[in-house]
């Protein structure tokens, strides 16, 4: 077991005092000076159903202008009120943040706060505390550049005891509902055992829709699949107020101002379930709100791709507030790994978009309760079709004096595929202040582009456009096309640590689930009709006014689309057996 997971407080004593028994957790003594922080947690008064506690946190690392202390209870303790800190709780996980008057913590200085709580049964002192993501009361380990603690035995974890890469050495959850759909298709048994994400795309999905599996059902099934090893469960958190402001196919159930409902009826119940100690042995990877923050960068003002809905969401701040709240509440659960959605290279790869995107990500991850330690990484290409790698041309290539960036397809973008984009984005995020251990995910569920139309080599050198168009494996009409794309195929199978900085290739969008209906369909899911899903549509400014390239006869977003599933298998690359 890694040292950061066994950072037990050195002493737990029962002392008679006052109206109850005083439970004291003293900081580690031997080598305490080597610990980056120490926490003294004392239960001062305790009675049959309640208690008061005093906490003193000492900073032994660099000076701080603000601080956040986190811990989780093993029992059913609930904080009911507090003083000298802003204290919140989600399930068993508690977060205490400084007040405006006690945020400064110089090296060697302390801050104290207290609270009152309730309990039943036992009232054990928390085993582990983290200050701004760094485990306290730990001696003897060394800190990696990302703030993680390296066990003398060689295992590396990030702050708070999480694995540096949750996918390493772990199986990934196979959703039995998706697997059954896949296995029922001719030839589908070849991929029915592949792991895919579970989409929590409305409040009702938490308990299960129309008799289907709810979140607890999936987690219980995951425990069965886990066995004695490690297992990652992938969840898509996707129900922001005013969701999908630049499109209609995936509009959601919550209106632009329904932030409180998002918090109390959606995020809080998810956090409560995930913090159940029953599931503490699972690694839970969350994909946080696809498309939301990228939309604030590119579709909320100043360009011909602006939409009124995105302008509204930027002005009311509810995307940022919602994502920040989700990061904070879910990040408080020790075995949850949050990955923020970061669009794809054909959306954010231009200089004018990438820099502002990093700024937006940093702002959101450090506000509304969130901290950088709540972010395990980012994901690119969620539910999209951009290739992981373009093997037959590079952005630095030139033809007849013109660079690839000057081609109509690349259009001055700095990146031509997802892996180069993800790695460059990661570098920029780390340079901006994110943890150096930040990991990236790439959704490869539909970006293989195999089959008979796949090029076998570079295009002709007659012009830069002929060179790019003849050699690109992405066969879409335009890189901005996103709905049920004709000719697409399954991409790389899910795999851990496939490249530097990449935590995993993942299938977040379950193959065979539609992106949106090809014609208007009445529904109670809040999903509209987007013309980009209509194969007869001539396009808009976001796709250069090109045809949509969408498949016909598609059902609502998220519903099973057999024709698409068959096409994805036929055009899979690497090919299916």
């Amino acid at each position: 077991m890694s040292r950061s997971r066994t950072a037990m407080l050195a002493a737990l004593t029962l002392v008679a005092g006052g109206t109850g028994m005083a439970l004291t957790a003293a900081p580690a003594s031997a080598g305490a000076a080597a610990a980056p922080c120490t926490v003294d947690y004392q239960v001062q008064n305790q009675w049959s159903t309640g208690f008061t506690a005093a906490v003193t946190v000492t900073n032994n690392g660099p000076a701080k202008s603000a601080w956040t202390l986190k811990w989780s209870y093993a029992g059913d303790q609930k904080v009911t009120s507090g003083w000298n800190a802003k204290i919140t709780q989600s399930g068993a996980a508690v977060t205490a943040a400084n007040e405006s008057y006690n945020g400064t913590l110089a090296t060697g200085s302390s801050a104290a706060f207290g609270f009152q709580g309730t309990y039943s049964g036992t009232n054990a002192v928390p085993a582990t505390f983290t200050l701004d993501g760094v485990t306290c009361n730990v001696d003897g380990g060394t800190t990696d550049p990302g703030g993680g603690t390296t066990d003398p035995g060689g295992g590396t974890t990030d702050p708070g005891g999480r694995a540096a890469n949750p996918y390493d050495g772990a199986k990934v959850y196979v959703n039995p509902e998706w697997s059954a759909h896949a296995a029922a298709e001719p030839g589908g048994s070849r991929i029915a055992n592949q792991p895919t994400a579970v989409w929590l795309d409305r409040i009702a999905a938490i308990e299960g829709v129309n008799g289907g599996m709810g979140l607890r059902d999936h987690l219980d099934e995951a425990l069965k699949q886990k066995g004695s090893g490690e297992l990652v469960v992938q969840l898509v958190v996707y129900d922001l107020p005013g969701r999908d402001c630049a499109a209609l196919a995936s509009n959601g159930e919550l209106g632009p101002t329904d932030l409180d409902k998002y918090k109390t009826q959606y995020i809080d119940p998810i956090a409560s379930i995930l913090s159940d100690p029953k599931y503490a042995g699972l690694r839970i990877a969350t994909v946080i709100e696809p498309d939301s923050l990228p939309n604030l960068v590119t579709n909320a003002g100043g360009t011909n791709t602006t939409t009124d809905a995105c302008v509204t969401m930027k002005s009311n701040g509810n995307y940022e507030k919602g994502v920040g709240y989700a990061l904070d509440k879910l990040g408080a659960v020790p075995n949850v790994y949050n990955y923020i959605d970061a669009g794809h290279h054909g959306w954010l790869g231009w200089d004018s978009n990438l820099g502002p995107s990093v700024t937006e990500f940093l702002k959101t991850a450090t506000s509304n309760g969130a901290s950088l330690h709540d972010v395990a990484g980012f994901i690119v290409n969620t539910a999209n079709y951009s290739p992981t790698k373009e093997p037959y041309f590079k952005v630095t290539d030139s033809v007849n004096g013109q660079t690839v960036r000057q081609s109509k397809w690349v259009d001055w973008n700095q990146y031509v595929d997802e892996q180069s984009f993800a790695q460059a984005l990661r570098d920029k995020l780390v340079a901006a202040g994110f943890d150096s251990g930040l990991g990236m995910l790439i959704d490869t569920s539909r970006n293989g582009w195999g089959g008979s139309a796949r090029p076998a080599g570079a295009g002709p050198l007659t012009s830069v456009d002929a060179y790019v168009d003849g050699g690109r494996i992405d066969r879409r009409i335009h890189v901005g096309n996103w709905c049920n794309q004709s000719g697409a195929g399954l991409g790389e199978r899910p795999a851990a640590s496939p490249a530097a900085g990449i935590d995993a290739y993942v299938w977040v969008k379950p193959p065979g689930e539609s992106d949106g209906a090809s014609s208007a369909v009445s529904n109670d899911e809040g999903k509209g009709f987007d013309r980009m899903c209509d194969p007869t549509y001539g396009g808009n400014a976001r796709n250069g006014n090109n045809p949509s390239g969408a498949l016909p006869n598609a059902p609502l977003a998220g519903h099973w689309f057999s024709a698409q599933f068959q096409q994805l298998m036929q055009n899979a690359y690497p090919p299916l057996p």
Side-chain angles (χ1 to χ4, degrees):
M1 183 174 287
S2 75
R3 178 172 290 272
S4 60
R5 280 200 178 276
T6 57
M8 305 299 293
L9 301 179
L12 175 61
T13 59
L14 291 177
V15 181
T19 59
M21 304 294 289
L23 295 169
T24 303
S29 53
C37 49
T38 57
V39 175
D40 183 17
Y41 178 109
Q42 296 189 19
V43 177
Q44 296 182 312
N45 295 286
Q46 180 172 302
W47 53 100
S48 60
T49 59
F51 67 101
T52 61
V55 181
T56 301
V57 56
T58 301
N59 173 36
N60 298 320
K64 299 176 179 292
S65 59
W67 52 268
T68 299
L69 185 71
K70 295 185 179 183
W71 68 87
S72 291
Y73 286 117
D76 65 353
Q77 295 98 323
K78 300 292 182 186
V79 175
T80 56
S81 62
W83 48 91
N84 294 334
K86 300 183 180 75
I87 305 176
T88 58
Q89 185 168 356
S90 177
V94 179
T95 300
N98 64 276
E99 295 283 6
S100 59
Y101 52 80
N102 64 354
T104 300
L105 267 182
T107 302
S109 67
S110 302
F113 62 92
F115 61 90
Q116 182 167 318
T118 63
Y119 77 101
S120 63
T122 59
N123 183 23
V125 171
T128 303
F129 297 87
T130 62
L131 179 65
D132 294 330
V134 177
T135 304
C136 299
N137 303 326
V138 181
D139 63 293
T142 59
T143 302
D144 71 15
T149 300
T150 303
D151 188 297
T156 303
T157 59
D158 77 0
R162 295 181 175 92
N165 176 358
Y167 290 86
D168 276 345
K171 297 184 293 186
V172 186
Y173 175 62
V174 177
N175 180 349
E177 293 185 311
W178 175 82
S179 182
H181 275 298
E185 292 280 345
S189 60
R190 293 174 294 173
I191 63 166
N193 64 343
Q194 291 291 344
T196 56
V198 174
W199 286 63
L200 302 173
D201 63 350
R202 45 186 154 153
I203 292 168
I206 300 171
E207 295 299 324
V209 178
N210 298 325
M213 296 174 70
L215 178 54
R216 281 193 179 275
D217 297 321
H218 284 293
L219 296 176
D220 289 341
E221 173 64 22
L223 290 175
K224 297 176 184 176
Q225 293 184 19
K226 179 180 182 295
S228 60
E230 299 289 351
L231 183 137
V232 178
V233 180
Q234 301 172 124
L235 304 176
V236 180
V237 176
Y238 188 48
D239 201 27
L240 273 179
R243 189 180 75 192
D244 206 357
C245 63
L248 297 171
S250 293
N251 285 166
E253 63 187 349
L254 302 181
T257 62
D258 285 338
L259 182 63
D260 286 342
K261 191 173 183 180
Y262 175 78
K263 291 179 176 180
T264 61
Q265 297 186 34
Y266 181 67
I267 294 297
D268 287 353
I270 293 173
S272 179
I273 292 171
L274 298 186
S275 63
D276 187 331
K278 178 181 181 181
Y279 306 123
L282 297 172
R283 297 176 179 179
I284 301 170
T286 60
V287 172
I288 303 295
E289 297 295 350
D291 295 351
S292 58
L293 300 182
N295 270 321
L296 297 185
V297 175
T298 63
N299 294 315
T303 72
N304 60 2
T305 65
T306 297
T307 71
D308 291 342
C310 289
V311 171
T312 295
M313 299 318 299
K314 184 171 184 176
S315 67
N316 69 21
N318 282 347
Y319 275 9
E320 295 169 337
K321 294 171 186 175
V323 170
Y325 189 83
L327 290 173
D328 178 34
K329 296 302 179 184
L330 301 177
V333 183
N335 55 314
V336 168
Y337 301 77
N338 290 321
Y339 291 87
I340 301 174
D341 183 79
H344 54 88
H345 89 275
W347 187 352
L348 302 183
W350 286 269
D351 293 335
S352 57
N353 291 343
L354 193 54
S357 297
V358 171
T359 300
E360 179 62 47
F361 295 146
L362 185 64
K363 174 187 176 184
T364 303
T366 54
S367 60
N368 300 296
S371 75
L372 297 181
H373 300 296
D374 294 319
V375 181
F378 287 75
I379 180 169
V380 300
N381 210 43
T382 303
N384 206 262
Y385 297 85
S386 297
T388 303
K389 301 175 188 176
E390 279 285 4
Y392 302 126
F393 67 94
K394 302 184 300 294
V395 74
T396 54
D397 290 347
S398 295
V399 177
N400 298 331
Q402 289 188 300
T403 70
V404 157
R405 292 186 68 204
Q406 293 173 269
S407 67
K408 291 179 182 178
W409 175 258
V410 179
D411 191 26
W412 296 101
N413 201 321
Q414 290 280 20
Y415 308 98
V416 299
D417 55 35
E418 290 306 296
Q419 190 149 294
S420 63
F421 170 68
Q423 291 169 326
L425 174 60
R426 181 188 179 279
D427 290 345
K428 294 180 184 297
L429 289 164
V430 170
F434 281 91
D435 192 276
S436 63
L438 200 70
M440 306 298 290
L441 303 179
I442 302 176
D443 187 354
T444 62
S445 58
R446 304 181 302 176
N447 71 348
W449 296 102
S452 60
R454 182 183 176 92
L461 297 176
T462 52
S463 70
V464 70
D465 284 324
Y467 176 70
V468 170
D469 289 339
R472 61 181 169 92
I473 62 168
D474 187 340
R475 306 313 297 169
R476 285 177 293 178
I477 300 168
H478 188 273
V479 73
N481 287 357
W482 54 267
C483 193
N484 299 326
Q485 290 300 287
S486 177
L490 300 168
E492 294 281 353
R493 313 307 180 251
S497 297
I502 309 299
D503 277 358
Y505 294 153
V506 292
W507 282 9
V508 167
K509 177 68 174 182
E513 292 189 3
S514 174
D515 295 321
S518 52
S519 59
V521 176
S522 178
N523 68 92
D524 61 357
E525 301 174 30
K527 295 169 182 174
F529 169 50
D530 196 298
R531 289 297 305 279
M532 286 298 293
C533 299
D534 177 359
T536 69
Y537 183 49
N540 55 40
R542 285 189 293 281
N543 83 327
N545 296 299
N546 284 283
S548 69
L551 292 169
N553 304 313
L556 284 171
H559 290 227
W560 190 255
F561 189 9
S562 178
Q564 184 199 54
F565 185 80
Q566 289 295 329
Q567 174 193 263
L568 292 173
M569 290 195 298
Q570 178 181 346
N571 294 333
Y573 195 90
L576 295 179

